[in-house]
Amino acid sequence: MATEYQHRFRSGGRGMLCLGASVFLLLGSIGQLHATPRSEADLATRLAQFALASGQPEKALARIGRVESETSSWVKAQALVATGQTAAAHELLKRQLNGRNHRGDAALLLARIAQREGDSLRAREHFEAAARLGFGETRQRALYQLAAMELAAGKPDRAGQRLAEMDSGYWAALGYMNLAASYSEIDRNAARPLVALRVALAMAEKDAKGDRSVALRNRLLVRAGFLSYQQEEYEKAIGFLEKVPLDSYHTPRALYLHGLALAARDNHRAAMQSWHRAKKFPLAHPGVEDAWLGMGRGYDLAGYLGQAGEAYLAANASYESERVTLRKLAARIREEGAWKALIVDAREADTQWFLADNRTLTQPRMAYLLRFMESAEAQQAVAQVADLVALETGLAERERNLRVFRGSLADRLSTPVGPAMASGKELGEKSAQLRARLEALENQGADPAQLALTARTLGDIEDALATLESRVGQRNARLRQLKSRLDGMLGGMESLRRRAGELRQQAEAALDERVLAYVEAQDKRMVYALDKSEQQIAHLYEYLALESLQRGSQ
Amino acid sequence: MFAPQQVTDSGRRACSPAWKGVALLLVALMMWVPALASANDLESEINRLKADVADLASELYALEEAILHPADTQVAVFLTLATKDALQLDSVELFIDETPVSSHLYTDLERQSLQQGGVQQIFLGNLPLGDHHLKAVLTARTDNDRYVRREASHRFRKEPGESRIQMTLDARAPDFEPRVAFREWK
């Protein structure tokens, strides 16, 4: 299997590189890759490409350096965006837009930058360009964004036209889901939203990426189930909801709605079975608090009033206990910060492996975290802190490494070269002896091919020893130069780490504020649920009292 | 006597809610604008910091290579794919002279990058002059849906100066048997 042959880089100008790029594209299109880089610049670009995919944009930028080609410029632009240098990336992306490759991708990236900067007009222009110039996922994403913009402008019909241009798959399914939501806001009748959801379900089937398509399908099924229930089409609702698997993030809501649809068909026993299952999930999930109430109502309607009272009391107790959990969570957030209390601690896997799969669905704190993270603003706030924590940790680690290098350079500078030179002389004598032995063997008629490798290695050693003195002479100057570069870098590193620390504190404070507001809103939700359960208990007792009065008067 | 006063009063009453509304709006705007500005400030400050860190990281990267891997003893091993879709790489382990020196588990994005011509520097280290033995162990899923584990080895000679070895993975129809080719760059 092992093959060994030499390969030299062909030196070539820009024209050569362009020709090479065309050949590369042609080969790529028929499934063959140009495995060997054609030049140092090509190697640097392809190494940067991999570094970027590995989530190391800084390394990608270092690899690219001053390499100039269309592909390298595209990789550099992506790395610049990933490291927050959008102004520098902007120029490169605009140039890319007028180039030959990645035009659609560049337009999409420009659109996203404009969107982030709040310039919706420019964002629309770039999305249009991405839809026109891009292929595959790039084009689909651009069309999805354009449809979303039409929906945001209150033009669902134009959004529908945009969606009609899309290919079946994940992005089209998402688009139709949004269209259904938009129709639900306008129409009293759920016919149009349901049609849109059915299209979305069909589109999601075509998505090749398993996990995201399953998650989206479950979301669509719950929505379709809810809309059908609202339209009093209970059979249809049950049909949709029964397709949601029991280990999905959307299961609690689906179970609650399933129970509602069954109860509407007077099948209280089956409804209570669904709600009983929904009760197993944390109260953070929507529908769970209503499932607790539903149990009481189910007993009530089935005529078991005593059990109905017990169920309402149990619901009451669970809401009270959830309020205690929320108060404790808020106290921990105030004490340790939201980043530590909610996010870092959620990563700690102290669960047994056989329970690990259900962690996200059964742990209250994790459930609150996931619910909180559903909003885009929350994701941005958490991403800011995460970025800064990663920067700070990375800088601290690099600083530690630099201090070790600095120590080692200082040691090497203080090591006298005399003994090394003396051992160099000894090595020289040894190599001379070995050379003599080698020549003697050759003279004795040994096969030169057998000795060729040894002779070459010995030659390399002799060359290295011959230049030892001059290299040792340059050693101290080089070490001093490296040490002064290190000192400068250490200073820069310290100041950057301080800045990162200050910014992290600001970002954490903003996150704390947001999470505490969220926890407070959840507490209010529990208070509301508590009010409802207390009202139900009051009604039940009132009814029982009236009944016993009536029985007494008879 | 009271009539004009009443008119004035009623005029005041008519104006005051509007003024109050404007004043409230102004106050709200004054409160909202700094909040928005500070959120944007934080974002742009984070971006500035990221840019500075990226600059320093590239400088450091060059310095580390200069300190840690002097050109004379440096050996680098690069990994590339020869065919686009034939092999879904799962992991690669490298051994030099029977000592494990590097291992990598691939993400979807990394696999995609390799399939688009990306090159991975899977090992960078120092070796003494002379003969060495490089062994690669790879696990992958082939296009005909087989999960495979293969070993490949290569003998090479470390000479003075940088040594760069390219490792190319390939799997072709009909059997999709993974093949590893080694090539030394000079």
Side-chain angles (χ1 to χ4, degrees):
Chain A
M1 171 117 1
T3 51
E4 184 176 335
Y5 50 97
Q6 308 289 317
H7 173 79
R8 285 183 189 280
F9 281 134
R10 284 192 298 271
S11 59
R14 211 186 159 109
M16 185 74 137
L17 211 63
C18 289
L19 182 69
S22 317
V23 172
F24 175 70
L25 280 174
L26 185 68
L27 287 172
S29 66
I30 53 168
Q32 299 292 304
L33 295 171
H34 202 297
T36 307
R38 287 170 297 274
S39 62
E40 284 292 343
D42 185 32
L43 174 66
T45 306
R46 290 166 68 174
L47 282 168
Q49 203 177 323
F50 188 84
L52 191 64
S54 303
Q56 296 171 295
E58 294 97 349
K59 201 171 180 179
L61 284 175
R63 291 270 189 215
I64 289 264
R66 291 200 178 94
V67 174
E68 284 206 11
S69 72
E70 210 170 310
T71 311
S72 70
S73 155
W74 167 235
V75 176
K76 191 172 180 177
Q78 290 176 89
L80 284 170
V81 173
T83 53
Q85 303 176 74
T86 42
H90 205 269
E91 279 308 303
L92 288 177
L93 288 170
K94 280 199 139 179
R95 235 185 293 157
Q96 196 79 35
L97 211 54
N98 300 319
R100 279 173 306 171
N101 303 322
H102 300 294
R103 291 170 70 195
D105 296 319
L108 188 65
L109 211 49
L110 277 169
R112 284 164 69 184
I113 292 172
Q115 208 173 31
R116 214 177 302 159
E117 286 167 357
D119 189 346
S120 56
L121 209 67
R122 209 150 45 91
R124 179 186 283 271
E125 269 174 36
H126 290 308
F127 279 132
E128 293 278 6
R132 204 175 53 250
L133 303 168
F135 304 98
E137 183 125 341
T138 305
R139 182 175 142 76
Q140 299 310 311
R141 287 173 85 158
L143 285 169
Y144 165 79
Q145 290 291 352
L146 286 167
M149 282 179 144
E150 298 293 2
L151 287 178
K155 296 172 185 164
D157 293 339
R158 287 188 66 177
Q161 286 165 10
R162 284 290 186 190
L163 293 172
E165 293 172 46
M166 293 177 77
D167 298 335
S168 306
Y170 179 76
W171 293 101
L174 266 188
Y176 278 102
M177 185 178 77
N178 292 345
L179 184 66
S182 184
Y183 282 146
S184 304
E185 282 171 15
I186 309 164
D187 297 1
R188 285 184 163 221
N189 187 303
R192 277 205 303 179
L194 268 173
V195 169
L197 283 176
R198 277 190 186 279
V199 176
L201 276 165
M203 296 275 174
E205 298 279 318
K206 306 276 183 207
D207 185 27
K209 292 184 184 168
D211 289 351
R212 71 175 187 184
S213 116
V214 169
L216 179 62
R217 187 170 180 271
N218 293 336
R219 205 166 150 193
L220 291 167
L221 285 169
V222 172
R223 285 192 181 206
F226 175 64
L227 284 175
S228 307
Y229 172 77
Q230 270 192 328
Q231 288 297 295
E232 298 179 2
E233 293 181 43
Y234 304 122
E235 278 301 328
K236 207 188 267 182
I238 291 167
F240 282 124
L241 295 166
E242 279 181 352
K243 284 181 194 149
V244 179
L246 283 171
D247 57 352
S248 146
Y249 179 64
H250 303 280
T251 307
R253 196 183 294 197
L255 282 169
Y256 168 64
L257 292 171
H258 187 247
L260 273 188
L262 286 166
R265 292 177 62 234
D266 292 331
N267 191 352
H268 300 294
R269 194 183 165 81
M272 281 161 68
Q273 279 175 353
S274 292
W275 290 329
H276 186 68
R277 270 196 158 162
K279 269 170 51 189
K280 309 268 179 209
F281 292 91
L283 278 157
H285 291 291
V288 177
E289 87 260 27
D290 290 322
W292 278 89
L293 280 178
M295 290 298 288
R297 183 143 178 78
Y299 281 124
D300 190 352
L301 291 170
Y304 300 106
L305 299 186
Q307 272 143 313
E310 275 174 29
Y312 285 133
L313 284 172
N316 224 17
S318 80
Y319 302 148
E320 287 284 12
S321 132
E322 194 66 7
R323 289 197 70 198
V324 173
T325 307
L326 284 165
R327 271 199 295 275
K328 278 187 189 163
L329 185 60
R332 274 194 68 184
I333 290 167
R334 279 188 202 99
E335 198 182 314
E336 300 173 345
W339 174 251
K340 164 92 174 67
L342 206 61
I343 295 144
V344 176
D345 287 358
R347 289 179 191 157
E348 285 164 10
D350 49 358
T351 326
Q352 292 293 325
W353 63 268
F354 52 88
L355 295 174
D357 278 356
N358 287 328
R359 267 180 77 212
T360 50
L361 291 175
T362 52
Q363 284 190 356
R365 194 174 46 182
M366 184 66 99
Y368 279 119
L369 171 65
L370 290 175
R371 295 279 303 146
F372 171 71
M373 292 296 281
E374 278 182 11
S375 91
E377 291 82 12
Q379 286 171 25
Q380 202 182 351
V382 172
Q384 272 184 349
V385 180
D387 278 357
L388 288 165
V389 168
L391 271 182
E392 216 182 339
T393 319
L395 284 169
E397 198 184 316
R398 283 170 183 161
E399 204 180 310
R400 262 197 312 277
N401 283 341
L402 282 189
R403 288 196 192 284
V404 174
F405 297 157
R406 197 178 174 280
S408 122
L409 283 182
D411 283 351
R412 280 165 72 183
L413 267 169
S414 63
T415 313
V417 290
M421 289 302 290
S423 58
K425 269 183 196 155
E426 272 176 38
L427 286 176
E429 283 159 16
K430 276 186 190 167
S431 86
Q433 285 168 9
L434 287 170
R435 172 64 64 191
R437 277 170 60 194
L438 190 78
E439 282 167 2
L441 281 170
E442 278 171 355
N443 292 337
Q444 282 164 21
D447 181 10
Q450 211 179 346
L451 293 171
L453 267 177
T454 317
R456 269 168 66 191
T457 309
L458 192 59
D460 291 342
I461 293 169
E462 282 163 353
D463 289 347
L465 286 170
T467 56
L468 186 67
E469 202 171 331
S470 67
R471 283 190 292 146
V472 165
Q474 291 162 3
R475 185 197 82 142
N476 281 0
R478 191 170 167 271
L479 288 180
R480 266 191 217 101
Q481 190 202 356
L482 284 174
K483 195 166 161 281
S484 86
R485 265 176 79 189
L486 265 179
D487 286 339
M489 210 168 275
L490 264 171
M493 198 82 79
E494 270 173 32
S495 101
L496 281 176
R497 192 161 56 83
R498 258 200 311 279
R499 261 171 71 194
E502 282 161 15
L503 285 173
R504 180 186 44 79
Q505 280 173 2
Q506 284 180 39
E508 278 199 54
L511 178 67
D512 288 356
E513 206 177 308
R514 193 178 283 277
V515 175
L516 282 172
Y518 166 76
V519 172
E520 205 181 314
Q522 294 303 307
D523 187 53
K524 277 188 186 148
R525 192 166 64 92
M526 283 304 116
V527 171
Y528 184 61
L530 206 57
D531 280 351
K532 280 203 284 189
S533 70
E534 279 168 355
Q535 275 175 25
Q536 294 291 345
I537 293 168
H539 284 313
L540 189 68
Y541 287 170
E542 190 186 3
Y543 174 77
L544 288 171
L546 286 171
E547 282 279 295
S548 77
L549 273 176
Q550 270 176 3
R551 253 180 282 153
S553 64
Q554 278 167 7
Chain B
M1 274 236 4
F2 287 107
Q5 225 174 350
Q6 274 175 337
V7 169
T8 322
D9 269 352
S10 71
R12 262 189 209 144
R13 263 184 234 120
C15 284
S16 102
W19 280 111
K20 267 184 197 166
V22 171
L24 275 172
L25 189 70
L26 278 173
V27 171
L29 266 176
M30 281 162 72
M31 285 170 74
W32 180 66
V33 169
L36 195 70
S38 90
N40 285 340
D41 282 353
L42 185 62
E43 182 70 33
S44 55
E45 186 57 31
I46 290 173
N47 281 345
R48 268 202 297 278
L49 177 73
K50 278 184 180 174
D52 290 350
V53 172
D55 279 351
L56 192 72
S58 7
E59 222 180 303
L60 175 66
Y61 176 71
L63 183 67
E64 276 180 355
E65 292 227 325
I67 297 173
L68 290 177
H69 308 294
D72 255 7
T73 52
Q74 194 184 93
V75 175
V77 180
F78 299 95
L79 183 113
T80 62
L81 292 187
T83 34
K84 231 178 168 183
D85 307 314
L87 213 59
Q88 291 289 316
L89 206 52
D90 191 46
S91 72
V92 171
E93 286 171 89
L94 275 193
F95 298 80
I96 292 183
D97 301 330
E98 300 307 321
T99 308
V101 289
S102 170
S103 65
H104 194 87
L105 275 174
Y106 292 86
T107 63
D108 278 345
L109 272 177
E110 288 170 340
R111 270 192 284 265
Q112 226 172 44
S113 167
L114 286 174
Q115 283 165 355
Q116 287 165 359
V119 177
Q120 179 192 10
Q121 186 183 65
I122 195 162
F123 171 71
L124 178 68
N126 297 290
L127 287 177
L129 301 177
D131 293 339
H132 297 281
H133 178 234
L134 171 69
K135 184 174 87 175
V137 179
L138 69 105
T139 55
R141 187 174 291 279
T142 58
D143 211 26
N144 56 354
D145 220 20
R146 261 192 319 147
Y147 191 76
V148 292
R149 181 187 181 277
R150 293 288 180 272
E151 284 187 18
S153 54
H154 171 67
R155 291 203 170 273
F156 67 98
R157 225 179 127 262
K158 172 74 192 112
E159 291 175 354
E162 279 178 60
S163 294
R164 299 197 282 186
I165 301 168
Q166 179 191 337
M167 205 168 94
T168 308
L169 308 184
D170 194 5
R172 281 164 204 259
D175 59 343
F176 293 102
E177 179 57 33
R179 287 172 186 87
V180 186
F182 293 94
R183 166 179 288 203
E184 287 178 43
W185 297 337
K186 283 277 174 169

